[in-house]
Amino acid sequence: MALAYRSLSKYRVLARLGGGGMAEVYLAVAGGPGGFNKLQVLKVLRPDLPEADRADFTRMFQDEARLAARLNHPNIVQSHGFGSEAGHDFIAMEYLDGQPLNRIQERAWQNEGAFPLELQLFVLAQMLDALDYAHTLTDYDGTPLHIVHRDVSPQNVFVTYTGQVKLVDFGIAKTLESCQTRAGVVKGKVPYMAPEQVLGRRVDHRADLFSAGVMLWEAVAERRMHAVDSVYETLRNLVEGDIPKLRDAVPEVPAKLERIVQRAIAHGPGDRYESASALSHDISAFLDDYRVTAKAVGTRVSELFDDERRAINDVIRRSMTDATELESSAQPMHLLPNLRALATTTSSVMERTQRHSEPGTEPLTAPTTIPVHYTSTSPPVNVTPPAATASSPAKRWLPIAVAALVVALVAWGAWRTRQGPPDGPATVQVLASESAQPEASVRVTIRAIPSSAVLLLNGKPLGSNPYTGEHPRDGAPQSLEVRATGFDSRTLELRLERDIDLEVRLSEAETARHPATEKKFTERAAPATPTPEPRRDPKPTNTDAPAQRRNKPGAPALDTSDPWSAE
């Protein structure tokens, strides 16, 4: 869906971050007196929901807002307010600078050792601490709320570049106060659902623990538990208790870790851990031989997404600068804008109106789409008071005439907006100034998975994966071929009409989908009783010092720079 809002209440919308079936997510800035600006995330209820379901979705959204106001834990995303403007309900939340766990895992599993198992276990332990807080939360009078998240999955665990772990999206959480799920309706992500959740039975906090157990299984196996199954097969396996054994996927898994996983994903709720804190305790006990810190987690995530982090920060920095300049130059709404401002705005609007009437141009209300890797080159509209000059009667009427024209054009634009913005890809969209002019070239960024894939544009290798480069804006069809050994090739058609930020995933070839297990799982901790070596010097050896570990071959070197810095 295209960017549909320029402002909501006190929030100026900067970019669209994504969306789902119920809500759209936007990056916004909350302004205040004295130059106060703070980045926020707005979760906005979709305006195009079917009328038959709107009441249910609105009630769920309001339940989420009320619940978010009660949750106050360092490992849960913070809610800063709920509002409604012009019929649009929205929740304002803290902005998190980082990546969801599913993206971290997908990238790390392509590069062995890039995000080691002990770091993933640390993240899951932090997530379980957040779940334990939610599960045991009470009302103001001490009544247990019995909160169940019901959508615990890697997509809803966020890891920041400073190593913070945040559990997000309590949109379908159940409490004593929340509305009951309608018969036949199953909510959540199927691969992480507990069997009783699939069957539509009453669920409690142990359903969330099953979901956490699936995530733990995947962290150890370095693949999705139900990767080769269809949705139907996954549902059937969950109902029948036919859950893959971890040792079948990883023969060398330590027995202690295997017991933790198998108990967490037990088919019957009574056979699982009794609480999230108990599961977190066992994971932390397994990590006793490792020295894992939040800073180490943040360093690795920053290392994996260094390019994305710098590019997104660049977009935010430019957008915040434009927003600040526009805010500082804005005139009071109750005063008639000066003639120069009206003339500038009118000229820009009319120019875009003329471009809209030409074939092949975008509608007036469509925003400029800019991938997160690039900043908007459009300068803000500069509103500067003109010098005082003597005015004739004709000149005195000119501002009124121009103002009337602007009002008519704005009304026409508002009518076009109510017709509904066109659907578009879930990419970051940055509002460009009205005076933006198309560039002669476009920026093309292509990432292919696996990282060994070769990119060919019109039969010519692009030379790197990922690839970033400038290409002429000619609008002609271009053929992109992506191929890699052991994977099915893909061919896509591109039109270089605007900046492109593309990610292509290849599917494994049929002969490579079930390879024999070659990876050896080795415990990286020092053995309990190390074999002594002959001493070659009289100095005593510190037997309490942890064994020194080396990075695996091919693993990127640790980034020793400060992950909290602005760079």
Side-chain angles (χ1 to χ4, degrees):
M1 175 180 289
L3 188 59
Y5 314 95
R6 290 181 182 270
S7 64
L8 283 173
S9 183
K10 65 179 181 180
Y11 304 99
R12 183 191 300 275
V13 178
L14 300 179
R16 180 182 183 275
L17 300 178
M22 184 175 73
E24 297 288 322
V25 181
Y26 296 92
L27 178 64
V29 56
F36 173 85
N37 284 313
K38 184 175 180 64
L39 283 173
Q40 300 275 269
V41 169
L42 298 184
K43 187 173 183 179
V44 186
L45 192 65
R46 292 173 62 103
D48 57 347
L49 293 172
E51 287 299 326
D53 299 324
R54 174 168 289 278
D56 286 343
F57 280 125
T58 301
R59 185 166 56 249
M60 286 173 57
F61 197 72
Q62 293 173 350
D63 285 342
E64 179 183 1
R66 283 192 293 269
L67 179 58
R70 292 297 316 280
L71 298 171
N72 184 19
H73 189 272
N75 297 121
I76 295 178
V77 64
Q78 295 299 292
S79 172
H80 294 156
F82 174 79
S84 182
E85 182 172 295
H88 300 298
D89 294 337
F90 63 89
I91 303 173
M93 300 177 292
E94 66 174 318
Y95 169 68
L96 300 176
D97 188 19
Q99 297 290 336
L101 181 59
N102 66 309
R103 287 203 68 201
I104 296 171
Q105 290 177 328
E106 288 168 2
R107 182 161 297 188
W109 294 346
Q110 297 290 333
N111 302 279
E112 186 177 358
F115 199 72
L117 174 62
E118 59 265 26
L119 300 189
Q120 297 180 61
L121 296 181
F122 177 86
V123 170
L124 294 180
Q126 297 289 302
M127 177 201 74
L128 286 164
D129 289 345
L131 279 176
D132 185 65
Y133 165 83
H135 292 163
T136 58
L137 187 65
T138 61
D139 208 344
Y140 296 111
D141 60 359
T143 304
L145 292 176
H146 297 296
I147 296 172
V148 186
H149 189 285
R150 296 201 300 169
D151 197 13
V152 176
S153 62
Q155 291 87 338
N156 287 334
V157 177
F158 209 88
V159 185
T160 72
Y161 296 123
T162 60
Q164 288 183 299
V165 178
K166 297 278 188 174
L167 180 62
V168 304
D169 200 354
F170 281 77
I172 63 171
K174 287 185 72 69
T175 67
L176 289 176
E177 297 177 347
S178 63
C179 57
Q180 296 297 317
T181 302
R182 291 178 296 175
V185 177
V186 177
K187 298 177 180 179
K189 296 180 179 65
V190 170
Y192 301 93
M193 284 185 181
E196 63 271 23
Q197 190 174 353
V198 171
L199 292 170
R201 297 173 180 170
R202 182 179 180 275
V203 299
D204 60 18
H205 65 282
R206 292 170 295 185
D208 288 344
L209 302 187
F210 181 92
S211 303
V214 175
M215 295 172 62
L216 184 57
W217 190 102
E218 294 179 344
V220 178
E222 294 190 358
R223 69 173 179 86
R224 300 301 173 203
M225 178 185 285
H226 304 286
V228 298
D229 297 334
S230 65
V231 173
Y232 171 78
E233 291 172 330
T234 300
L235 290 171
R236 183 189 62 190
N237 292 339
L238 288 171
V239 170
E240 296 177 353
D242 187 11
I243 299 173
K245 300 295 184 182
L246 180 59
R247 188 163 294 278
D248 292 342
V250 188
E252 297 81 14
V253 60
K256 182 178 179 180
L257 188 56
E258 180 187 22
R259 287 193 297 269
I260 296 174
V261 175
Q262 291 305 122
R263 184 178 177 186
I265 61 175
H267 186 263
D271 297 327
R272 298 174 202 151
Y273 281 89
E274 63 275 10
S275 66
S277 63
L279 177 53
S280 176
H281 176 271
D282 281 1
I283 294 176
S284 299
F286 180 81
L287 288 175
D288 280 346
D289 294 326
Y290 301 85
R291 300 182 61 182
V292 183
T293 63
K295 184 175 182 179
V297 172
T299 299
R300 287 301 183 102
V301 177
S302 299
E303 184 180 72
L304 280 171
F305 294 91
D306 181 67
D307 292 340
E308 287 88 341
R309 183 189 186 190
R310 293 177 183 274
I312 291 175
N313 286 341
D314 198 17
V315 169
I316 293 173
R317 190 159 45 244
R318 184 61 175 268
S319 299
M320 290 287 286
T321 301
D322 289 349
T324 302
E325 292 179 1
L326 287 172
E327 187 73 28
S328 63
S329 62
Q331 300 297 314
M333 294 299 294
H334 65 279
L335 297 179
L336 179 67
N338 59 69
L339 177 60
R340 181 173 176 181
L342 279 172
T344 302
T345 305
T346 304
S347 174
S348 175
V349 172
M350 292 188 67
E351 180 182 357
R352 292 188 66 194
T353 305
Q354 292 170 358
R355 290 203 306 269
H356 173 56
S357 64
E358 299 172 358
T361 57
E362 295 186 359
L364 176 64
T365 57
T368 302
T369 301
I370 302 178
V372 297
H373 287 74
Y374 315 110
T375 60
S376 170
T377 56
S378 308
V381 178
N382 189 13
V383 183
T384 305
T389 56
S391 59
S392 63
K395 289 183 179 180
R396 286 197 300 269
W397 280 101
L398 183 58
I400 299 176
V402 175
L405 177 60
V406 171
V407 170
L409 288 172
V410 171
W412 180 83
W415 176 83
R416 287 287 300 169
T417 301
R418 287 196 298 271
Q419 304 308 306
D423 287 337
T427 58
V428 172
Q429 297 174 320
V430 180
L431 290 176
S433 302
E434 300 289 352
S435 59
Q437 297 294 331
E439 300 290 341
S441 62
V442 296
R443 186 78 63 88
V444 176
T445 296
I446 304 172
R447 298 177 299 277
I449 299 175
S451 58
S452 59
V454 177
L455 309 177
L456 298 97
L457 188 63
N458 298 325
K460 298 181 180 179
L462 291 179
S464 64
N465 177 25
Y467 165 81
T468 299
E470 297 282 348
H471 292 262
R473 187 194 297 268
D474 55 11
Q478 313 283 336
S479 175
L480 173 66
E481 182 181 0
V482 183
R483 58 192 183 194
T485 303
F487 292 79
D488 295 329
S489 300
R490 291 186 62 183
T491 301
L492 307 173
E493 181 181 290
L494 305 179
R495 291 186 179 271
L496 304 183
E497 301 171 336
R498 63 180 66 193
D499 291 346
I500 294 176
D501 187 0
L502 179 66
E503 183 176 275
V504 182
R505 296 173 181 268
L506 300 183
S507 301
E508 286 185 294
E510 187 65 32
T511 57
R513 288 179 184 164
H514 302 284
T517 303
E518 299 177 356
K519 179 182 62 176
K520 300 296 182 181
F521 188 102
T522 57
E523 295 192 54
R524 287 173 283 273
T529 307
T531 303
E533 296 182 0
R535 297 185 179 180
R536 299 183 179 180
D537 57 66
K539 296 181 180 180
T541 302
N542 183 3
T543 57
D544 295 330
Q548 183 176 2
R549 293 175 288 169
R550 297 181 179 178
N551 289 336
K552 295 181 178 180
L558 286 177
D559 185 358
T560 57
S561 61
D562 183 3
W564 287 267
S565 64
E567 291 298 321

